[in-house]
C-alpha cells in the first residue's frame, strides 16, 4: 500500500501498490529513476534516483513556486501516464484505491 499518511482527510483509501511485483513486470525494472526521479533547479538529473526519499520530501500538498506539482497530482501523473503509455494497468480511481 502506498503511504497515505501525508494526506489529511483522504477521500479514498491509499492506492494498493506492490512495489516488487510491479518492478518485476516493468520493462525498465532496474532503472529506479524512471519512477524515483530527481530534479534540481527545475531540470531532470539523468541517471540519478530519489529512491531513498519520500515523494512528500519534494512534493507539497499544494503547489508552491519552487514546486508546481502537488503531491496528489505527482502520484496520479506518474502512475496513470505510465499505464496509458504502456496500454496496461489500472487508470480508474476504484482500480487503485481499494480497501
Amino acid at each position: 500500500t502506498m503511504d497515505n499518511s501525508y494526506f489529511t482527510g483522504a477521500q479514498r483509501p491509499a492506492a494498493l501498490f506492490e512495489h516488487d511485483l510491479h518492478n518485476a513486470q516493468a520493462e525498465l525494472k532496474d532503472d529506479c529513476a524512471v519512477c524515483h526521479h530527481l530534479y534540481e533547479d527545475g531540470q531532470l538529473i539523468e541517471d540519478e534516483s530519489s529512491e531513498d526519499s519520500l515523494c512528500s520530501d519534494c512534493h507539497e500538498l499544494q503547489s508552491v513556486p519552487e514546486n508546481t506539482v502537488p503531491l496528489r497530482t505527482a502520484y496520479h501523473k506518474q502512475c496513470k501516464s505510465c499505464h496509458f503509455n504502456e496500454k496496461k494497468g489500472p487508470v480508474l480511481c476504484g482500480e487503485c484505491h481499494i480497501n
Side-chain angles (χ1 to χ4, degrees):
T1 304
M2 306 263 321
D3 182 4
N4 207 25
S5 63
Y6 198 73
F7 298 102
T8 57
Q11 297 174 336
R12 293 184 174 268
L16 292 180
F17 180 76
E18 295 185 44
H19 183 271
D20 293 338
L21 177 62
H22 194 93
N23 192 35
Q25 293 175 348
E27 301 254 340
L28 300 170
K29 55 183 138 190
D30 292 324
D31 188 359
C32 298
V34 169
C35 295
H36 299 278
H37 52 258
L38 186 63
Y39 281 82
E40 190 173 292
D41 298 324
Q43 299 295 317
L44 178 65
I45 307 300
E46 297 289 333
D47 302 321
E48 290 290 326
S49 172
S50 64
E51 65 198 81
D52 293 328
S53 302
L54 297 172
C55 297
S56 58
D57 288 347
C58 295
H59 295 277
E60 300 288 333
L61 283 177
Q62 302 297 320
S63 185
V64 293
E66 307 84 48
N67 175 12
T68 58
V69 182
L71 184 59
R72 181 173 286 122
T73 302
Y75 276 133
H76 288 131
K77 182 179 178 186
Q78 185 71 28
C79 299
K80 288 175 70 174
S81 64
C82 184
H83 290 177
F84 279 121
N85 289 340
E86 297 296 319
K87 296 180 175 56
K88 58 185 174 184
V91 293
L92 300 176
C93 302
E95 293 175 318
C96 292
H97 298 277
I98 55 181
N99 292 331

